Amino acid sequence: MTHGAPRGARQALDRQPLAYLVASIRGVGQVDLQPQLLTGAFILAALWAAGWKVGLFATLGTLIATATAYLLDVDRGSISQGLQGYSGCLTGIALVTFLGNHLATYILAVVGCAVTTVLTASLAVLLKPYGLTPLTAPFCLVSGVMVLGAPSFERIWHGAPSPVANPTRGDTGITFSDLWHAFFTNVSQVFLVNSWYVGLIMLVGLAFAGVRVVLAAALGSIAGIFAAWALGAPTAQIADGIYGYNSVLVAIAVGAVFLADTPWNAGYALLGAALATGLTAAITSLFKPFHGHTFTWPFILTTWALMAAVPLLPRLRAAEAG
Amino acid sequence: MTHGAPRGARQALDRQPLAYLVASIRGVGQVDLQPQLLTGAFILAALWAAGWKVGLFATLGTLIATATAYLLDVDRGSISQGLQGYSGCLTGIALVTFLGNHLATYILAVVGCAVTTVLTASLAVLLKPYGLTPLTAPFCLVSGVMVLGAPSFERIWHGAPSPVANPTRGDTGITFSDLWHAFFTNVSQVFLVNSWYVGLIMLVGLAFAGVRVVLAAALGSIAGIFAAWALGAPTAQIADGIYGYNSVLVAIAVGAVFLADTPWNAGYALLGAALATGLTAAITSLFKPFHGHTFTWPFILTTWALMAAVPLLPRLRAAEAG
Amino acid sequence: MTHGAPRGARQALDRQPLAYLVASIRGVGQVDLQPQLLTGAFILAALWAAGWKVGLFATLGTLIATATAYLLDVDRGSISQGLQGYSGCLTGIALVTFLGNHLATYILAVVGCAVTTVLTASLAVLLKPYGLTPLTAPFCLVSGVMVLGAPSFERIWHGAPSPVANPTRGDTGITFSDLWHAFFTNVSQVFLVNSWYVGLIMLVGLAFAGVRVVLAAALGSIAGIFAAWALGAPTAQIADGIYGYNSVLVAIAVGAVFLADTPWNAGYALLGAALATGLTAAITSLFKPFHGHTFTWPFILTTWALMAAVPLLPRLRAAEAG
């Protein structure tokens, strides 16, 4: 159960610094669990389209995390597939989003993204006995700790710049405009970006990773919207992608990466996408008293739970190891 | 370290739909870790005696969880012993207790109880390296998530109908009436039911599982009452079984199921029963800020901790694998 | 990856009750991960110098935990190295610090310190597959549960006597007096004691454990001070050792016990010491809503994360098994 990657062509690219750049671009795509160069490039372009701060910190984060992996002599195959960069990409975005564009944030980004690489190794060791992978947990842990601890430190904290909206109560009527906005922002909110056209560019990138991947992402987004609507979540938050980005990730991970291509597996992935939506509200309420953030925990926990169960549920079948 | 079950007679019952019904009745008894048919039947009767809502949702929950296990092709031996149904039984009761008797609650019960079956498989895989079993953790996780997330969703939430009392300060004088009420409600509160005669019927059911089982349940209840009184817990909550239901479960699990029948083991089980009482207050305070619920977490955590230690404590001895 | 201990001389001491006393004194030193008798003796003397209550409960806690290990027939080698006593030592101190010098506290100390021995075994089993050890987690769990649950029980709770200061905002200017106070109190706060000369005596004790150990402790303390200052933590808390005691422990554990003596490893240990400082603020904020306490969680979590990663980071090298 690896993230899967084209192992060919790797040898040719294994020359620094070209290999470093390629590995980093792939790292951006690996946030969506995809190693294809074009997928990573489109998603990176989308992040710059979301604003120079998001683009810059995403780029820096991925470069720092990947460089740390070279420095600590991590397995080259894993680096070249982009598996050492994706948590840094998200950590960079989260830090500038929650702490603002200050000098201290750049320093924290260097430290934080380097630490994601260490935690990626820790979690890989801890999860190996269960056949699970770290997913974006290193990002969630590092960003969670930094955002939680930041207000205690005078040199770090400059007030909260742009808090992400939290699930609360609100109007539940839904229009067609809400629906298609939600469909695309569910894809962009994976990267903490609330913008339908950023999500659209990302979907194009995912299409380069194959029909199955983009189909899983699209169906996951729809499953998330449906579940949030059926549960009675506030429309404003559905349209902003707050309830659906975890569904997109679960659908890609379970439906297009970790499990084989069967009808039962597809149903299991869509069930997981819907569950992740429900879990989003619980996690957000759980974290509220200590000002924690939901990040991609619902995706991580849902995917770990679903995948851990597979060996005892013969109806489902894991994908061939990539 | 399995829940133990009479493997004989299984073959004869392995014909649908009789096998399905038998497995479900056994599933009710497995909440108390007992596979005997009569034990399950008595406990189910007690649940209907507690009120039609509790009885109905307990029945539905067990049936749904067990049916999901058939659907996902889970090991038949495990299904027929009732090991796929007990978390569904408790989840059904918890949902109607906390969300009320609404259409949405029925739909959530179907989804939630099906998910307990998936989580039972996940936890079985995750805990296997340590020789531990999932106990009622799938119930605690699913019910915890649902109750925590529910107020965010307009179609789910109709206000809190009957919140279970939480440990707080209060009078600590104790009468004989308090004591015998506590003795029986400790047994019924395992199923979130506050009623001494429901606990009495359940004890009769446990007697059909053997002298050692009913003795462990009774001594566990007494240990829980003693510990709560010695610590100075409010009498009203002791009498309502709030401080003792986890003690009953620990005593049954450690004293009559997982460990062999020796004096040291018996002392260890009763120590665990008393510890679970103290842990109840801590867990309740821990969960209070985000409106979480204690459920059977004190039982689960105490039993996991005590059983994980056994291989390094030669004074204690695990039971022969059932 | 064991705490390491001189296995010689053990046989001679393996006669009760001398062996029991020696094991207990070593247990005090094992809080700092050192098995040397002189180290334990100096640290114990420092604890009595901190006040008779701290000294008494530290002594009782270590004796009770070690006696419980004999009673449960735990491996004699582990007992004689002091590995069964250190969590009891800290638990005793924590209980008298948070609950005050009452009869109930003595009874809780007996129960709590005995339970640390059971939890030491549980965690040893649970962590073994990852090559990790329990560190001071049994102390953190038992003390956390007791301090959290205590206000619910009338016979336990007599009001909070001397709450440890929590990281909050405050002046960040720093003087030379602040710096050297912080350097020593970082060492004493490992035992919840805020006193520079207690820290000084403890450092002398650590010197008997070898140059590398005392150097790691000193550099860890400096790294903690630097990180806290750089982040902008309030000076008063830096001087009181609140931000640095976890750094001291991480530096000893990672730098002088678990990893080999190489420049890369030393850098990794100091990075860890600085990270533990940042983590202190996050953990404290995390625990604040439910009145939990930070204890040595930042040390434990940082050390587990760093050590779990080592097998996948070839730049680093574990120490030869002691």
Side-chain angles (χ1 to χ4, degrees):
Chain A
M1 195 199 313
T2 65
H3 279 196
R7 278 160 195 273
R10 200 202 308 157
Q11 229 159 4
L13 291 170
D14 213 13
R15 277 180 246 121
Q16 311 249 22
L18 183 59
Y20 173 43
L21 287 177
V22 168
S24 297
I25 296 171
R26 282 182 172 156
V28 177
Q30 283 286 13
V31 172
D32 281 333
L33 297 97
Q34 305 307 323
Q36 289 79 2
L37 203 54
L38 263 175
T39 304
F42 263 81
I43 291 178
L44 187 58
L47 291 172
W48 280 93
W52 67 269
K53 285 183 207 167
V54 166
L56 180 62
F57 272 84
T59 307
L60 286 177
T62 316
L63 288 171
I64 293 162
T66 307
T68 306
Y70 278 109
L71 207 69
L72 293 174
D73 209 9
V74 171
D75 172 61
R76 286 295 162 97
S78 165
I79 296 178
S80 77
Q81 288 169 36
L83 291 174
Q84 300 298 319
Y86 64 92
S87 281
C89 175
L90 289 173
T91 301
I93 298 172
L95 289 180
V96 75
T97 303
F98 288 100
L99 302 181
N101 180 38
H102 303 281
L103 176 59
T105 309
Y106 287 83
I107 300 174
L108 275 192
V110 172
V111 175
C113 295
V115 172
T116 60
T117 302
V118 174
L119 281 182
T120 299
S122 313
L123 289 173
V125 170
L126 298 179
L127 294 167
K128 202 182 177 183
Y130 309 114
L132 302 175
T133 55
L135 302 175
T136 47
F139 147 64
C140 286
L141 289 170
V142 168
S143 300
V145 162
M146 287 192 159
V147 170
L148 185 59
S152 297
F153 297 121
E154 198 181 274
R155 278 185 249 283
I156 305 297
W157 191 243
H158 306 81
S162 64
V164 168
N166 284 327
T168 49
R169 292 158 159 272
D171 189 41
T172 60
I174 203 155
T175 68
F176 182 69
S177 164
D178 293 325
L179 286 177
W180 71 260
H181 270 98
F183 178 78
F184 290 113
T185 52
N186 281 347
V187 180
S188 68
Q189 279 286 9
V190 168
F191 293 83
L192 290 87
V193 170
N194 179 1
S195 160
W196 70 266
Y197 58 83
V198 170
L200 175 59
I201 305 175
M202 287 175 171
L203 267 182
V204 174
L206 288 173
F208 286 103
V211 175
R212 198 174 152 211
V213 170
V214 74
L215 202 68
L219 291 177
S221 183
I222 292 168
I225 295 168
F226 176 78
W229 167 83
L231 286 162
T235 303
Q237 294 180 3
I238 297 177
D240 284 357
I242 299 295
Y243 271 107
Y245 64 96
N246 287 289
S247 305
V248 171
L249 285 173
V250 169
I252 295 176
V254 178
V257 176
F258 295 143
L259 291 185
D261 190 2
T262 75
W264 275 95
N265 288 347
Y268 194 62
L270 288 181
L271 172 76
L275 290 179
T277 298
L279 191 54
T280 299
I283 299 262
T284 304
S285 297
L286 180 71
F287 285 1
K288 202 182 282 174
F290 44 81
H291 310 292
H293 287 277
T294 309
F295 293 131
T296 50
W297 280 122
F299 152 60
I300 295 168
L301 297 175
T302 303
T303 304
W304 280 345
L306 293 188
M307 292 309 304
V310 167
L312 293 184
L313 307 177
R315 197 70 77 192
L316 310 169
R317 224 176 64 234
E320 308 289 313
Chain B
M1 195 197 313
T2 65
H3 280 197
R7 276 157 196 276
R10 200 202 306 157
Q11 228 158 5
L13 292 168
D14 215 13
R15 275 180 247 119
Q16 309 249 19
L18 182 60
Y20 173 44
L21 286 178
V22 168
S24 297
I25 296 172
R26 282 183 172 156
V28 176
Q30 283 285 13
V31 172
D32 280 332
L33 297 96
Q34 305 308 323
Q36 289 77 4
L37 202 54
L38 263 175
T39 305
F42 263 82
I43 292 177
L44 187 58
L47 291 171
W48 281 92
W52 69 267
K53 285 182 207 167
V54 167
L56 179 62
F57 272 85
T59 307
L60 287 177
T62 316
L63 288 171
I64 294 162
T66 306
T68 307
Y70 278 109
L71 207 70
L72 293 174
D73 208 8
V74 171
D75 172 61
R76 287 295 163 98
S78 165
I79 296 178
S80 77
Q81 288 169 35
L83 292 173
Q84 300 299 318
Y86 64 91
S87 281
C89 174
L90 289 174
T91 300
I93 298 173
L95 289 179
V96 76
T97 303
F98 288 100
L99 303 181
N101 181 37
H102 303 281
L103 176 60
T105 308
Y106 288 82
I107 300 174
L108 275 193
V110 172
V111 176
C113 295
V115 172
T116 61
T117 302
V118 174
L119 280 183
T120 298
S122 312
L123 288 173
V125 170
L126 298 179
L127 294 167
K128 202 182 178 183
Y130 309 115
L132 302 175
T133 54
L135 303 175
T136 46
F139 148 63
C140 286
L141 289 170
V142 168
S143 300
V145 162
M146 286 191 161
V147 171
L148 186 58
S152 298
F153 297 122
E154 199 180 276
R155 276 185 251 282
I156 305 297
W157 192 242
H158 306 81
S162 64
V164 167
N166 283 327
T168 50
R169 294 159 158 269
D171 189 41
T172 60
I174 203 155
T175 67
F176 181 70
S177 166
D178 293 326
L179 287 177
W180 73 261
H181 269 98
F183 178 78
F184 291 114
T185 51
N186 282 347
V187 180
S188 68
Q189 278 286 9
V190 167
F191 293 82
L192 290 89
V193 171
N194 180 2
S195 159
W196 69 267
Y197 58 84
V198 170
L200 175 60
I201 304 175
M202 287 175 172
L203 267 182
V204 174
L206 289 173
F208 286 104
V211 174
R212 199 173 151 211
V213 170
V214 75
L215 201 68
L219 290 176
S221 182
I222 292 170
I225 294 170
F226 176 78
W229 168 82
L231 286 162
T235 303
Q237 293 179 4
I238 297 177
D240 283 357
I242 299 296
Y243 271 108
Y245 64 96
N246 286 287
S247 306
V248 171
L249 285 172
V250 170
I252 294 176
V254 178
V257 176
F258 295 143
L259 291 185
D261 190 1
T262 75
W264 275 95
N265 288 346
Y268 195 62
L270 288 181
L271 173 76
L275 290 179
T277 298
L279 192 55
T280 300
I283 299 262
T284 305
S285 296
L286 180 72
F287 285 1
K288 201 182 282 173
F290 43 81
H291 311 291
H293 287 278
T294 308
F295 294 131
T296 50
W297 279 122
F299 152 59
I300 296 167
L301 297 176
T302 303
T303 303
W304 279 346
L306 293 187
M307 291 311 302
V310 167
L312 293 184
L313 306 177
R315 198 69 77 192
L316 310 169
R317 225 176 64 234
E320 308 290 312
Chain C
M1 195 196 315
T2 65
H3 279 198
R7 278 159 195 272
R10 201 202 305 155
Q11 228 159 2
L13 292 169
D14 215 13
R15 276 179 247 122
Q16 311 252 19
L18 183 61
Y20 173 41
L21 286 178
V22 168
S24 297
I25 296 172
R26 282 183 172 154
V28 177
Q30 283 285 13
V31 172
D32 280 333
L33 298 96
Q34 305 308 322
Q36 289 78 4
L37 201 55
L38 264 175
T39 304
F42 263 81
I43 292 177
L44 186 59
L47 291 171
W48 280 92
W52 68 269
K53 285 183 207 165
V54 167
L56 180 62
F57 272 85
T59 307
L60 287 177
T62 316
L63 288 171
I64 294 162
T66 306
T68 307
Y70 279 108
L71 207 69
L72 293 173
D73 208 7
V74 171
D75 172 59
R76 287 295 161 98
S78 165
I79 296 179
S80 76
Q81 289 168 37
L83 291 172
Q84 300 298 319
Y86 64 92
S87 281
C89 175
L90 289 174
T91 300
I93 298 173
L95 290 180
V96 74
T97 303
F98 288 100
L99 302 181
N101 179 37
H102 303 282
L103 176 60
T105 309
Y106 287 83
I107 300 173
L108 275 192
V110 172
V111 176
C113 296
V115 171
T116 61
T117 302
V118 175
L119 281 183
T120 298
S122 313
L123 288 174
V125 170
L126 297 179
L127 294 167
K128 203 183 177 182
Y130 308 115
L132 303 175
T133 54
L135 302 176
T136 46
F139 148 63
C140 287
L141 289 169
V142 168
S143 300
V145 162
M146 286 190 160
V147 171
L148 186 59
S152 298
F153 298 121
E154 199 181 273
R155 277 183 250 282
I156 305 295
W157 192 241
H158 307 81
S162 64
V164 168
N166 283 327
T168 50
R169 292 157 160 272
D171 190 40
T172 61
I174 203 157
T175 67
F176 181 70
S177 165
D178 293 326
L179 287 177
W180 71 260
H181 270 98
F183 179 78
F184 291 114
T185 51
N186 282 348
V187 180
S188 68
Q189 279 285 10
V190 168
F191 293 83
L192 291 89
V193 170
N194 179 2
S195 159
W196 69 266
Y197 58 83
V198 170
L200 175 59
I201 303 174
M202 287 174 171
L203 267 182
V204 174
L206 289 173
F208 285 104
V211 175
R212 199 174 152 211
V213 170
V214 74
L215 202 67
L219 291 176
S221 182
I222 292 170
I225 295 169
F226 176 79
W229 168 82
L231 286 162
T235 303
Q237 292 180 4
I238 298 177
D240 284 355
I242 300 295
Y243 271 110
Y245 64 97
N246 287 288
S247 305
V248 171
L249 285 173
V250 169
I252 294 176
V254 178
V257 176
F258 295 142
L259 291 185
D261 189 2
T262 76
W264 275 95
N265 288 347
Y268 194 62
L270 288 181
L271 173 75
L275 291 179
T277 298
L279 191 55
T280 300
I283 299 263
T284 305
S285 298
L286 179 71
F287 285 2
K288 201 180 285 174
F290 43 81
H291 311 292
H293 288 276
T294 308
F295 294 131
T296 50
W297 280 121
F299 152 61
I300 296 168
L301 297 175
T302 303
T303 303
W304 280 346
L306 293 187
M307 291 310 303
V310 167
L312 293 184
L313 306 177
R315 197 68 79 193
L316 310 169
R317 224 176 64 234
E320 307 291 313

